Amino acid sequence: MNAKKTKKIVVLATGGTIAGLAIDATKPQNYTAGQVRVADLLQGVAHDGIELLTEQVAQIDSKDMSFAVWQRLLARVEHWLEQEDVQGVVITHGTDTLEETAYFLQTVLHPAKPVAMTCAMLPANAPGSDGPGNLKDALAWVQVPGSQGVTVVCAGQVHAGNAVQKSHSHQRNPFTSQANVMHPAHLRVPSAAQVLGCVHGPRVELVQNHAGADGRLVRALMAQDAPHGWVVAGTGNGTLHHDLEAALLDAQKLGTQVLRASRCAQGGVQSREADMLSHAGSLTAVQARVALLLHLVAQ
Ligand code: SIN
C-alpha cells in the first residue's frame, strides 16, 4: 500500500514586527522588530497534516530592506518552489516595505505555486498580537487548491502581491489593493538568474514633486554621485514642477533612466501627448522604483 506523502510548506522568515519584541509588553509601540526566530514564531500555530520546513533568511526591520536580502530571499523561494513535494512558501516580513518585496518576487518569479507573505502590526509578545493568526491564515492560504502567485495574507484578507499597498501606518489591517495593476510594457524583466548574478543592485533614487520642487537635489546628486535611475513621484497625473522637470530631463540626457509615477495613492499616470519622460502607468512610486531597478538588471 502506498502511504500518502505529506505535503511540505516552507516558512522563510525575514524579521519585521511579527518577530518583534516589546521591552514592556503593555507598551507594544516601544519594540524592536526582528527578534524572535522562525521556529519560535511557529510554536503554538496549528499546522496539522503538513510538514513545515523553516529558514531564517534575514532578521531585520523591513525599513532596512536591501537588494542583497531580496537576492537571498529570491534564491530560497526559487529553490523551494522547484521541489516537487513543496506545496507552497510562506514568508514572514515587516509591513513597511512588504509591498516592494511582494512586487519584486511576483514580477521576477510569477510563481505557479502559492507564495504567501504575512506580517503583524503588533510585536510577538504584545497581548493579542496579530502575528499568530496571520501566520495561521497564510499557512491555510497556501493549501487552498488553485492558489498561486505571490499574495499578502493579513487581517483576514488576501491581496495580490503586485497590487498591495500599505495605506495605514498603524491600524491592524494596514493594506489596501489597487485595481488593474500592470507592469509597464517598456520595462524589461530579468530572469531570476540575472538578478542573482548581479553583484551590486542598480541604484535607483526616488524624488517627489511638491510646491517649490526646484530640482536642486537631482542636480547635486548627478554632479556628485549619479544614480543609475530616478523615479519621480509626480503630482496628480505625474506632473512636475518645471525646475524639477528640467533637472530630470538633464539627468536623462546624461544617460540616467528616469521614470514618472504619481504621488497619488490610486490611479497612477496616464499618457499625454506632450510627455517627455516615460511613466510607470498604474504602478505606485515605490513599485516603479522596483520596476526600474529590475529593468536596469535586465539590460
Ligand atoms: C517592519 O516593517 O519591519 C516593521 C514594521 C512592521 O512590521 O509593521
Side-chain angles (χ1 to χ4, degrees):
M1 193 176 76
N2 274 343
K4 200 170 165 233
K5 271 202 183 159
T6 312
K7 282 280 190 182
K8 293 178 181 148
I9 293 175
V10 182
V11 183
L12 302 177
T14 68
T17 298
I18 190 167
L21 286 179
I23 299 168
D24 175 351
T26 65
K27 294 183 185 147
Q29 68 278 24
N30 301 323
Y31 73 98
T32 307
Q35 303 296 303
V36 183
R37 294 195 62 80
V38 59
D40 295 329
L41 288 182
L42 284 161
Q43 282 201 357
V45 176
H47 51 270
D48 296 342
I50 48 169
E51 184 181 342
L52 286 186
L53 305 175
T54 62
E55 276 184 21
Q56 194 75 46
V57 175
Q59 190 60 300
I60 59 170
D61 185 317
S62 81
K63 70 178 173 57
D64 299 321
M65 187 50 70
S66 65
F67 185 71
V69 174
W70 278 351
Q71 284 176 309
R72 281 210 296 280
L73 190 57
L74 176 68
R76 298 318 291 157
V77 173
E78 191 186 34
H79 165 82
W80 285 115
L81 291 182
E82 278 167 2
Q83 314 305 310
E84 210 216 313
D85 57 351
V86 168
Q87 187 164 6
V89 171
V90 168
I91 300 172
T92 59
H93 196 291
T95 61
D96 284 344
T97 58
L98 191 147
E99 67 208 72
E100 296 174 52
T101 305
Y103 194 82
F104 167 81
L105 289 174
Q106 173 63 19
T107 304
V108 177
L109 289 176
H110 273 280
K113 290 183 184 177
V115 176
M117 301 183 67
T118 196
C119 53
M121 291 301 283
L122 288 170
N125 63 340
S129 174
D130 49 335
N134 286 342
L135 197 42
K136 186 167 150 273
D137 289 349
L139 290 168
W141 177 252
V142 298
Q143 295 173 71
V144 170
S147 66
Q148 58 171 27
V150 178
T151 51
V152 174
V153 178
C154 179
Q157 294 184 339
V158 181
H159 301 266
N162 68 344
V164 70
Q165 191 173 6
K166 184 169 179 178
S167 50
H168 198 284
S169 60
H170 57 270
Q171 73 185 20
R172 209 63 83 80
N173 180 3
F175 296 111
T176 50
S177 281
Q178 299 206 84
N180 307 321
V181 177
M182 302 250 301
H183 193 80
H186 70 286
L187 296 180
R188 294 169 62 185
V189 176
S191 64
Q194 280 178 303
V195 176
L196 296 176
C198 198
V199 180
H200 300 292
R203 212 172 100 238
V204 179
E205 297 291 349
L206 179 54
V207 67
Q208 181 159 303
N209 193 46
H210 51 80
D214 61 10
R216 241 186 293 181
L217 197 144
V218 172
R219 291 193 189 283
L221 205 56
M222 289 305 296
Q224 291 290 319
D225 185 18
H228 302 99
W230 286 101
V231 168
V232 57
T235 27
N237 191 30
T239 55
L240 304 177
H241 187 293
H242 52 82
D243 287 333
L244 177 58
E245 183 172 52
L248 287 167
L249 284 168
D250 284 349
Q252 189 169 254
K253 275 191 211 125
L254 291 169
T256 299
Q257 304 246 2
V258 181
L259 189 61
R260 270 180 316 120
S262 173
R263 68 180 210 185
C264 293
Q266 305 282 332
V269 177
Q270 294 178 320
S271 298
R272 291 200 305 191
E273 271 176 21
D275 283 349
M276 288 184 292
L277 294 166
S278 72
H279 68 78
S282 52
L283 302 191
T284 63
V286 293
Q287 287 174 330
R289 206 194 75 84
V290 177
L292 181 53
L293 183 148
L294 290 174
H295 174 74
L296 291 164
V297 170
Q299 283 186 334

